Amino acid sequence: MSFPKNFLWGGATAANQYEGGYKDGGKGINTSDVLTAGSHTTPRRITWIKPDTKETGSINMDLGSGSPMVFPEGAVPAIVEGEYYPSHVATDFYHHFKEDIALMGEMGFKTFRLSMNWARIFPNGDDETPNAEGLKFYDEVFDECKKYGIEPLVTLSHYETPLNLTIKYGGWKSRKLIDFFVRYSTTVMKHYQGKVKYWLTFNEINIMQWGCFMAGGLIDDSDQAKAQGAHNQFVASALTVKAAHEISDEIKVGQMLAYQPMYAYTCDPADQLYVLKNAQNTLWFSDVQTGGKYPAYKLKEYERKGIVLETEADDFELLEKYSADFLSFSCYGSSTFTTHENVEAGSGNMIMGIKNPYLQTNAWGWGTDPNCLRIALNTLYDRYHKPLWIVENGIGWDDQKEADGSVHDSYRIDYLRQNIQSMSDAINLDGVDLMGYTMWGCIDLVSAGTGEMKKRYGFVYVDRDDKGNGTLARSKKDSFYWYKKVIASDGADLD
């Protein structure tokens, strides 16, 4: 069974992992620019400096570890000489955008999800006026997309916050960032009116609870700060939806959620309750941003923890009246949980669990689940009754380039075949309203979680290694030609 004729096939990237050009065109420094490389076993680090003494150092940014993030007194995040920061060049879309978009056009992309670099538009985040060079760069990007009939899907903040907002205001725990973000979002939605009609506010907003520096520019990782940071982002999102609808009826603003189906390892009722509570830790974010209301279980949790949100009188009315127009989400696989001991641990895209014995895994411990997208789509559609969009799905692999330049990534094709079939079943058998699919990292980029290049996702190989060496030359993998065929057939030909 094929997909609807208007289905938006494409790929996805993020500025902090792909764009590069970190000091070009008047861009300011953002939080991703002070993150070093890491690996599957070594966490990325946030580097810092003490302005008074010039002492430098770093702390681990270990996603999901539960370890507190503690900066020394007087230290602020900063670029430190002698360190390697993958975001500074990444895979250099800034200087290769025409070549890269041409490759997307050759594959037949209907859409391209990219993120804007907030600090490229407002270098300090709290500037009164935008940076003209930054606006011009994205104008050229969107004009290039139009040349190939590609509809942009733009994320306004994808794991980066202007560093000045972190140092000066403490990041998203300050309500001042609401106004700064709304100024930014309104500026770009007006400027690119007619070029961009689909927007996302915050990438994987629920990662605030596991990676608050990356998701919210927070250097205070207390429960109170993370709760306030999430609330402020919810209000900023609602005000962005309001502004979008006032600018044009054609503009649609969606939420972006990191989501995975969660399975209980056993039929023990304790495991079932454990999975329920884990799922709620993710879904409460979409209950607020897409559903329009805080769920009772989250408010009760705040009571128990003594968390008191700083709010204004109209916050909750705004959340309900200007909820997201659609729900987009990332889904790389499923997670399995248990209350039982002595069970082998697994891993995944930040939402960890134990190893599922029924799934095959790659070198990073990610399991390929042939039904995860169908389950995810049904769960979210039944809960919110709004259009959905899968904006990240893919598999990282240590692709090997042959002497003749070819990359034989049959494992990626096998993974995508199962996932696209799962989407097809959700649409054709279950009636889910799915707008589109943008495969993650369609052109190789830096991994957000580990800062590596060798964990590659793309249809296009980029000559760049974990230490920043390489020519940045692009070459097509086997999956490039396979995906082109899938798009041309509207998803009917998966062989």
Side-chain angles (χ1 to χ4, degrees):
M1 290 181 284
S2 63
F3 285 67
K5 293 296 181 185
N6 62 348
F7 190 78
L8 292 167
W9 295 98
T13 62
N16 74 91
Q17 297 165 254
Y18 177 51
E19 187 176 279
Y22 92 107
K23 288 200 299 187
D24 293 333
K27 177 190 164 294
I29 304 301
N30 59 40
T31 50
S32 65
D33 292 328
V34 299
L35 289 177
T36 68
S39 71
H40 180 47
T41 55
T42 304
R44 302 186 74 176
R45 292 175 291 113
I46 307 165
T47 53
W48 53 260
I49 188 169
K50 292 185 177 181
D52 292 342
T53 64
K54 305 305 180 186
E55 179 187 351
T56 62
S58 66
I59 64 169
N60 288 346
M61 190 198 72
D62 196 359
L63 290 171
S65 69
S67 301
M69 182 176 62
V70 180
F71 285 84
E73 186 175 352
V76 295
I79 294 171
V80 173
E81 186 176 352
E83 293 279 7
Y84 171 56
Y85 301 96
S87 71
H88 291 192
V89 175
T91 48
D92 203 24
F93 177 70
Y94 190 81
H95 296 104
H96 291 79
F97 71 90
K98 290 186 178 181
E99 176 186 1
D100 288 358
I101 293 170
L103 287 164
M104 297 174 197
E106 184 180 343
M107 274 187 280
F109 277 23
K110 310 299 182 187
T111 189
F112 169 39
R113 180 193 173 210
L114 69 157
S115 73
M116 270 184 180
N117 205 317
W118 185 353
R120 196 176 292 287
I121 305 300
F122 288 93
N124 299 297
D126 58 359
D127 313 77
E128 292 289 336
T129 57
N131 170 32
E133 287 186 83
L135 291 171
K136 181 176 180 290
F137 169 68
Y138 293 112
D139 265 318
E140 293 176 355
V141 168
F142 300 142
D143 289 345
E144 206 66 20
C145 288
K146 185 176 181 180
K147 183 190 300 185
Y148 295 95
I150 297 172
E151 186 80 55
L153 168 63
V154 180
T155 312
L156 289 160
S157 181
H158 190 132
Y159 290 165
E160 49 77 27
T161 303
L163 190 60
N164 175 62
L165 300 184
T166 290
I167 295 171
K168 190 173 179 181
Y169 303 100
W172 272 99
K173 74 175 184 179
S174 169
R175 285 191 66 99
K176 290 183 182 294
L177 267 70
I178 296 173
D179 290 338
F180 300 144
F181 184 83
V182 174
R183 177 190 296 163
Y184 160 54
S185 64
T186 303
T187 296
V188 295
M189 288 190 300
K190 286 181 177 178
H191 185 87
Y192 300 112
Q193 186 179 354
K195 293 185 178 183
V196 181
K197 68 179 182 180
Y198 296 118
W199 298 88
L200 306 175
T201 49
F202 298 98
N203 180 70
E204 294 184 328
I205 191 170
N206 50 315
I207 299 303
M208 178 72 79
Q209 60 194 332
W210 298 299
C212 62
F213 179 80
M214 195 163 70
L218 299 187
I219 53 177
D220 172 1
D221 65 353
S222 65
D223 286 345
Q224 174 67 46
K226 289 187 286 189
Q228 188 65 54
H231 180 78
N232 292 342
Q233 288 189 345
F234 292 144
V235 174
S237 291
L239 288 168
T240 296
V241 172
K242 180 178 184 292
H245 293 176
E246 290 170 353
I247 294 167
S248 171
D249 290 340
E250 289 192 352
I251 299 177
K252 304 297 179 187
V253 179
Q255 179 185 354
M256 202 300 208
L257 181 76
Y259 184 74
Q260 295 182 349
M262 297 181 183
Y263 306 149
Y265 186 64
T266 74
C267 56
D268 181 346
D271 276 6
Q272 308 303 312
L273 182 60
Y274 187 50
V275 166
L276 171 67
K277 300 311 292 183
N278 268 302
Q280 286 179 339
N281 282 338
T282 291
L283 290 169
W284 80 266
F285 284 87
S286 44
D287 286 346
V288 179
Q289 195 175 350
T290 299
K293 291 183 178 180
Y294 274 84
Y297 59 79
K298 197 64 186 178
L299 296 177
K300 281 292 186 182
E301 178 189 325
Y302 284 175
E303 283 182 23
R304 291 193 300 274
K305 291 183 175 180
I307 292 171
V308 179
L309 296 176
E310 178 189 352
T311 63
E312 293 188 358
D314 61 348
D315 279 6
F316 298 98
E317 181 182 351
L318 285 169
L319 295 178
E320 187 169 6
K321 189 173 182 180
Y322 299 106
S323 61
D325 295 318
F326 61 93
L327 174 59
S328 73
F329 65 100
S330 61
C331 184
Y332 293 87
S334 55
S335 290
T336 303
F337 296 94
T338 188
T339 58
H340 296 253
E341 297 180 353
N342 301 318
V343 182
E344 184 177 356
S347 64
N349 187 39
M350 302 181 203
I351 303 175
M352 309 302 183
I354 63 167
K355 186 173 182 180
N356 187 327
Y358 298 98
L359 303 181
Q360 293 183 332
T361 59
N362 70 354
W364 285 268
W366 293 28
T368 298
D369 182 342
N371 294 306
C372 71
L373 291 187
R374 185 178 181 187
I375 293 169
L377 288 164
N378 273 276
T379 300
L380 296 173
Y381 193 58
D382 288 351
R383 193 177 185 102
Y384 302 111
H385 307 289
K386 286 189 175 181
L388 304 177
W389 196 330
I390 297 171
V391 295
E392 290 185 28
N393 171 254
I395 191 162
W397 212 281
D398 187 6
D399 298 333
Q400 298 299 310
K401 190 175 181 182
E402 304 294 334
D404 63 359
S406 61
V407 177
H408 303 304
D409 56 342
S410 59
Y411 39 83
R412 182 166 292 109
I413 293 171
D414 290 342
Y415 170 93
L416 292 174
R417 180 184 292 115
Q418 293 179 67
N419 280 270
I420 292 172
Q421 183 60 58
S422 191
M423 286 193 298
S424 177
D425 290 344
I427 294 169
N428 293 301
L429 300 181
D430 305 325
V432 170
D433 183 359
L434 181 60
M435 299 169 67
Y437 171 81
T438 54
M439 177 268 204
W440 174 247
C442 51
I443 293 177
D444 282 350
L445 39 62
V446 175
S447 166
T450 64
E452 294 174 288
M453 268 304 304
K454 72 177 181 179
K455 186 167 70 170
R456 297 174 180 272
Y457 291 85
F459 300 119
V460 176
Y461 186 96
V462 178
D463 182 25
R464 183 86 168 165
D465 68 16
D466 288 343
K467 296 182 179 179
N469 302 310
T471 65
L472 294 167
R474 274 68 167 148
S475 53
K476 303 168 188 174
K477 305 178 188 178
D478 289 354
S479 58
F480 178 101
Y481 303 100
W482 180 84
Y483 195 54
K484 179 179 180 179
K485 179 183 66 172
V486 170
I487 296 174
S489 69
D490 286 321
D493 186 355
L494 299 179
D495 291 337

